[in-house]
Amino acid sequence: EVQLVESGGGLVQPGGSLRLSCAASGFTFSTYWMSWVRQAPGKGPEWVANIQQHGSEIYYLDSVKGRFTISRDNAKSSLFLQMNSLRAEDTAVYYCARDKEAGATKLDSWGQGTLVTVSS
Amino acid sequence: DIQMTQSPSSLSASVGDRVTITCRASQGISSYLNWYQQKPGKAPTLLIYGASNLQSGVPSRFSGRGSGTDFTLTISSLQPEDFAIYYCQESSKVPLTFGGGTKVDIK
């Protein structure tokens, strides 16, 4: 069974940093792209970033470019999101999602999410 | 960026009804369109990928059609567990934009 478990969320002041982690199990992590998707309270999902199997291709939402960094450790089946210079508008539940092996994106497994609150 | 517009934003329906939700892309995306279902307090789950391919484990009452800019998600006979919010998502190019959602609730 595919399992994705996020951690690292919490309350942070504007301008602060957080590092989210996602522990994957139940599938061969190194053969899949992985994505982070966020959902602000009462809003729809918003794709944030994704990373190719070996990290050679990475894409970001424009509003997080230069502030967020996605990375992965295939040996530990783990995905990360380093978030710096956080803003109030980054407040959301952040989900880790399994992306494609090849071809077009399809987010076919999601974690339970971790809440990030940016507030003073 | 590609904009995804869903309609209606909400609808009320009864168990057994046939329900159709529409998603329109601001530019042609071929068949690069996914549909997700989200229940309160839960992560979204994938229903349909590539516009018309049923994800493994999803009941056959769900179906998707369309290509280019216009897409539909149909639930052939609404069941109690189908009351949820439905989102489309384009998978043609980054950023991978979601539609605004369609809330399906009980009439």
PDB file of all heavy atoms in Angstrom, chain A residues 16-31:
ATOM      1  N   GLY A  16      10.108  33.939   8.214  1.00  0.00           N
ATOM      2  CA  GLY A  16      10.759  32.764   8.772  1.00  0.00           C
ATOM      3  C   GLY A  16      10.886  31.619   7.785  1.00  0.00           C
ATOM      4  O   GLY A  16      10.524  31.736   6.609  1.00  0.00           O
ATOM      5  N   SER A  17      11.404  30.509   8.291  1.00  0.00           N
ATOM      6  CA  SER A  17      11.658  29.333   7.456  1.00  0.00           C
ATOM      7  C   SER A  17      11.072  28.075   8.097  1.00  0.00           C
ATOM      8  O   SER A  17      10.938  27.997   9.328  1.00  0.00           O
ATOM      9  CB  SER A  17      13.166  29.125   7.273  1.00  0.00           C
ATOM     10  OG  SER A  17      13.752  30.208   6.599  1.00  0.00           O
ATOM     11  N   LEU A  18      10.751  27.116   7.255  1.00  0.00           N
ATOM     12  CA  LEU A  18      10.339  25.789   7.686  1.00  0.00           C
ATOM     13  C   LEU A  18      10.844  24.780   6.668  1.00  0.00           C
ATOM     14  O   LEU A  18      10.988  25.113   5.478  1.00  0.00           O
ATOM     15  CB  LEU A  18       8.815  25.654   7.771  1.00  0.00           C
ATOM     16  CG  LEU A  18       8.068  26.138   9.012  1.00  0.00           C
ATOM     17  CD1 LEU A  18       6.580  25.929   8.823  1.00  0.00           C
ATOM     18  CD2 LEU A  18       8.560  25.437  10.270  1.00  0.00           C
ATOM     19  N   ARG A  19      11.079  23.554   7.116  1.00  0.00           N
ATOM     20  CA  ARG A  19      11.440  22.470   6.202  1.00  0.00           C
ATOM     21  C   ARG A  19      10.429  21.350   6.370  1.00  0.00           C
ATOM     22  O   ARG A  19      10.320  20.764   7.463  1.00  0.00           O
ATOM     23  CB  ARG A  19      12.842  21.954   6.484  1.00  0.00           C
ATOM     24  CG  ARG A  19      13.331  20.949   5.430  1.00  0.00           C
ATOM     25  CD  ARG A  19      14.662  20.365   5.805  1.00  0.00           C
ATOM     26  NE  ARG A  19      15.304  19.693   4.672  1.00  0.00           N
ATOM     27  CZ  ARG A  19      15.926  18.520   4.762  1.00  0.00           C
ATOM     28  NH1 ARG A  19      15.985  17.893   5.928  1.00  0.00           N
ATOM     29  NH2 ARG A  19      16.491  17.978   3.689  1.00  0.00           N
ATOM     30  N   LEU A  20       9.692  21.077   5.314  1.00  0.00           N
ATOM     31  CA  LEU A  20       8.731  19.985   5.325  1.00  0.00           C
ATOM     32  C   LEU A  20       9.394  18.712   4.817  1.00  0.00           C
ATOM     33  O   LEU A  20      10.253  18.754   3.926  1.00  0.00           O
ATOM     34  CB  LEU A  20       7.531  20.312   4.433  1.00  0.00           C
ATOM     35  CG  LEU A  20       6.796  21.623   4.712  1.00  0.00           C
ATOM     36  CD1 LEU A  20       5.571  21.724   3.812  1.00  0.00           C
ATOM     37  CD2 LEU A  20       6.417  21.740   6.164  1.00  0.00           C
ATOM     38  N   SER A  21       8.967  17.597   5.379  1.00  0.00           N
ATOM     39  CA  SER A  21       9.456  16.292   4.938  1.00  0.00           C
ATOM     40  C   SER A  21       8.272  15.407   4.575  1.00  0.00           C
ATOM     41  O   SER A  21       7.164  15.584   5.094  1.00  0.00           O
ATOM     42  CB  SER A  21      10.267  15.611   6.047  1.00  0.00           C
ATOM     43  OG  SER A  21      11.391  16.371   6.397  1.00  0.00           O
ATOM     44  N   CYS A  22       8.513  14.467   3.707  1.00  0.00           N
ATOM     45  CA  CYS A  22       7.503  13.480   3.313  1.00  0.00           C
ATOM     46  C   CYS A  22       8.185  12.128   3.236  1.00  0.00           C
ATOM     47  O   CYS A  22       9.105  11.940   2.432  1.00  0.00           O
ATOM     48  CB  CYS A  22       6.887  13.851   1.973  1.00  0.00           C
ATOM     49  SG  CYS A  22       5.805  12.596   1.261  1.00  0.00           S
ATOM     50  N   ALA A  23       7.748  11.203   4.083  1.00  0.00           N
ATOM     51  CA  ALA A  23       8.292   9.849   4.076  1.00  0.00           C
ATOM     52  C   ALA A  23       7.395   8.951   3.243  1.00  0.00           C
ATOM     53  O   ALA A  23       6.194   8.857   3.508  1.00  0.00           O
ATOM     54  CB  ALA A  23       8.386   9.323   5.505  1.00  0.00           C
ATOM     55  N   ALA A  24       7.979   8.312   2.240  1.00  0.00           N
ATOM     56  CA  ALA A  24       7.224   7.478   1.315  1.00  0.00           C
ATOM     57  C   ALA A  24       7.489   6.006   1.575  1.00  0.00           C
ATOM     58  O   ALA A  24       8.611   5.618   1.942  1.00  0.00           O
ATOM     59  CB  ALA A  24       7.596   7.818  -0.126  1.00  0.00           C
ATOM     60  N   SER A  25       6.466   5.181   1.383  1.00  0.00           N
ATOM     61  CA  SER A  25       6.628   3.738   1.500  1.00  0.00           C
ATOM     62  C   SER A  25       5.585   3.045   0.642  1.00  0.00           C
ATOM     63  O   SER A  25       4.612   3.660   0.208  1.00  0.00           O
ATOM     64  CB  SER A  25       6.494   3.292   2.962  1.00  0.00           C
ATOM     65  OG  SER A  25       5.221   3.625   3.466  1.00  0.00           O
ATOM     66  N   GLY A  26       5.814   1.754   0.373  1.00  0.00           N
ATOM     67  CA  GLY A  26       4.845   0.965  -0.379  1.00  0.00           C
ATOM     68  C   GLY A  26       5.013   1.018  -1.882  1.00  0.00           C
ATOM     69  O   GLY A  26       4.207   0.428  -2.608  1.00  0.00           O
ATOM     70  N   PHE A  27       6.031   1.731  -2.357  1.00  0.00           N
ATOM     71  CA  PHE A  27       6.308   1.784  -3.793  1.00  0.00           C
ATOM     72  C   PHE A  27       7.779   2.130  -3.993  1.00  0.00           C
ATOM     73  O   PHE A  27       8.468   2.531  -3.046  1.00  0.00           O
ATOM     74  CB  PHE A  27       5.402   2.788  -4.510  1.00  0.00           C
ATOM     75  CG  PHE A  27       5.624   4.237  -4.143  1.00  0.00           C
ATOM     76  CD1 PHE A  27       6.331   5.094  -4.976  1.00  0.00           C
ATOM     77  CD2 PHE A  27       5.115   4.757  -2.953  1.00  0.00           C
ATOM     78  CE1 PHE A  27       6.529   6.428  -4.646  1.00  0.00           C
ATOM     79  CE2 PHE A  27       5.300   6.078  -2.607  1.00  0.00           C
ATOM     80  CZ  PHE A  27       6.012   6.918  -3.449  1.00  0.00           C
ATOM     81  N   THR A  28       8.257   1.963  -5.226  1.00  0.00           N
ATOM     82  CA  THR A  28       9.654   2.269  -5.535  1.00  0.00           C
ATOM     83  C   THR A  28       9.789   3.767  -5.769  1.00  0.00           C
ATOM     84  O   THR A  28       9.540   4.280  -6.863  1.00  0.00           O
ATOM     85  CB  THR A  28      10.128   1.472  -6.758  1.00  0.00           C
ATOM     86  OG1 THR A  28       9.893   0.072  -6.530  1.00  0.00           O
ATOM     87  CG2 THR A  28      11.628   1.695  -6.986  1.00  0.00           C
ATOM     88  N   PHE A  29      10.170   4.468  -4.703  1.00  0.00           N
ATOM     89  CA  PHE A  29      10.190   5.931  -4.688  1.00  0.00           C
ATOM     90  C   PHE A  29      11.022   6.490  -5.845  1.00  0.00           C
ATOM     91  O   PHE A  29      10.620   7.476  -6.467  1.00  0.00           O
ATOM     92  CB  PHE A  29      10.753   6.382  -3.335  1.00  0.00           C
ATOM     93  CG  PHE A  29      10.806   7.864  -3.122  1.00  0.00           C
ATOM     94  CD1 PHE A  29       9.655   8.592  -2.834  1.00  0.00           C
ATOM     95  CD2 PHE A  29      12.018   8.543  -3.173  1.00  0.00           C
ATOM     96  CE1 PHE A  29       9.701   9.955  -2.614  1.00  0.00           C
ATOM     97  CE2 PHE A  29      12.081   9.908  -2.951  1.00  0.00           C
ATOM     98  CZ  PHE A  29      10.922  10.621  -2.673  1.00  0.00           C
ATOM     99  N   SER A  30      12.135   5.892  -6.124  1.00  0.00           N
ATOM    100  CA  SER A  30      13.075   6.457  -7.094  1.00  0.00           C
ATOM    101  C   SER A  30      12.580   6.417  -8.527  1.00  0.00           C
ATOM    102  O   SER A  30      13.221   6.986  -9.418  1.00  0.00           O
ATOM    103  CB  SER A  30      14.425   5.739  -6.997  1.00  0.00           C
ATOM    104  OG  SER A  30      14.267   4.359  -7.319  1.00  0.00           O
ATOM    105  N   THR A  31      11.463   5.753  -8.775  1.00  0.00           N
ATOM    106  CA  THR A  31      10.942   5.666 -10.146  1.00  0.00           C
ATOM    107  C   THR A  31       9.830   6.673 -10.429  1.00  0.00           C
ATOM    108  O   THR A  31       9.280   6.681 -11.521  1.00  0.00           O
ATOM    109  CB  THR A  31      10.447   4.252 -10.467  1.00  0.00           C
ATOM    110  OG1 THR A  31       9.313   3.946  -9.655  1.00  0.00           O
ATOM    111  CG2 THR A  31      11.535   3.219 -10.246  1.00  0.00           C
TER     112      THR A  31
END
